Amino acid sequence: MDSSREMILDNKNVCKKLAFAFAIFMLGIIAALYGWHWLHKQPRLDGAYTPLRKTLELNEKIFSPLVSQNHLTKTYPVSVADKNVRVNGDDGLKSQLDTSWKLQIIKATGDTIHISLDEIKKLPKTDIGFDFKCIEGWSQITHWGGVAVKDFVEHYQLSNEIKNRYTGINTPDQKYYVGIDMPSFIHPQTILCYEMNGKTLPLNQGYPLRLIIPVKYGIKHIKRIGTIYFSNQKPPDFWAERGYDYFAGL
Ligand SMILES: Nc1nc2c(c(=O)[nH]1)N[C@H]1C(S)=C(S)[C@@H](COP(=O)(O)O)O[C@H]1N2
Ligand SMILES: [Mo]
């Protein structure tokens, strides 16, 4: 075979390949247009075309069990809890604690409620022993007591507030702050904690009130809570601003 014939054959092959590629490309466009047309003829479900909503719901089904109400963190009896509880982090604890401290809740209406520690202690009590994990790499089985967030929410009728996607929590001086996705905040094991090992919470561990949220790393267990608020936007988060994962889930 001489070289010019070889070239003609080569060209023929290239043409065939191009025609084939073009046909596939056109079929793709037709399929996309047809799909688009089909999608827009579908009824809407909760404001989205049904197939899209179904996809969202499927995503939720797949991912929400990770923080679902039934997915509980492993618990441990008081007897195995460490008596010497490690102290870590004092941001937001450096200023003097105001003796007239009250928990401040900012409602969806903008109204603020102030709740004393005594009032909080009158609510049903929940205890939990679990493996507390710090992102720095240590963990410790510790035991805590307080009011479960779900009981607190019910008592103070915060059902409208928890329709938001996030909760934001700040220390009274606003120097430490966390943002928490709502499913994790209202998880049955999350507590507004005022006791450690059956005793009043020490000052350096968050007296009068801290968050214990076993589905998260230590960074989210904010000590000395001042204000709790609710938002559909991600609230600012101390460690997320310093490069750590915002979700910080376990
Ligand atoms: N106000 C405040 N809360 C905080 C911190 C902090 O620096 N300030 N550190 C967090 C981190 S990183 C951890 S691991 C836990 C430690 O809680 P502990 O001191 O009771 O062990 O608190 C969390 N809550
Ligand atoms: Mo931590």
Side-chain angles (χ1 to χ4, degrees), residues 134-200:
C134 172
I135 227 151
E136 290 165 15
W138 55 268
S139 81
Q140 191 176 33
I141 295 170
T142 45
H143 195 265
W144 312 86
V147 55
V149 166
K150 68 170 178 48
D151 295 334
F152 182 86
V153 161
E154 194 186 310
H155 185 267
Y156 287 101
Q157 300 178 359
L158 302 173
S159 52
N160 265 329
E161 283 65 26
I162 64 164
K163 283 179 193 151
N164 283 277
R165 292 177 60 202
Y166 299 96
T167 297
I169 311 180
N170 302 332
T171 55
D173 67 2
Q174 321 238 340
K175 297 237 165 90
Y176 196 82
Y177 39 91
V178 295
I180 289 161
D181 57 283
M182 200 56 76
S184 300
F185 183 62
I186 61 173
H187 184 280
Q189 291 175 313
T190 304
I191 63 179
L192 296 172
C193 162
Y194 49 79
E195 271 183 17
M196 187 184 79
N197 287 329
K199 297 195 192 86
T200 300

Side-chain angles (χ1 to χ4, degrees), residues 89-97 171 173 175 203 224 238:
D90 64 352
D91 291 285
L93 307 183
K94 288 166 195 155
S95 43
Q96 186 99 27
L97 176 72
T171 55
D173 67 2
K175 297 237 165 90
L203 253 185
R224 196 190 284 187
F238 185 92

Side-chain angles (χ1 to χ4, degrees), residues 18 60 63-65 67 71-72 87 106 111 115 133-134 156 200-201 236 241:
L18 276 176
E60 202 173 301
F63 294 109
S64 68
V67 275
H71 179 91
L72 297 180
V87 180
I106 303 175
D111 294 346
I115 308 165
K133 294 187 175 105
C134 172
Y156 287 101
T200 300
L201 212 52
E241 286 170 4

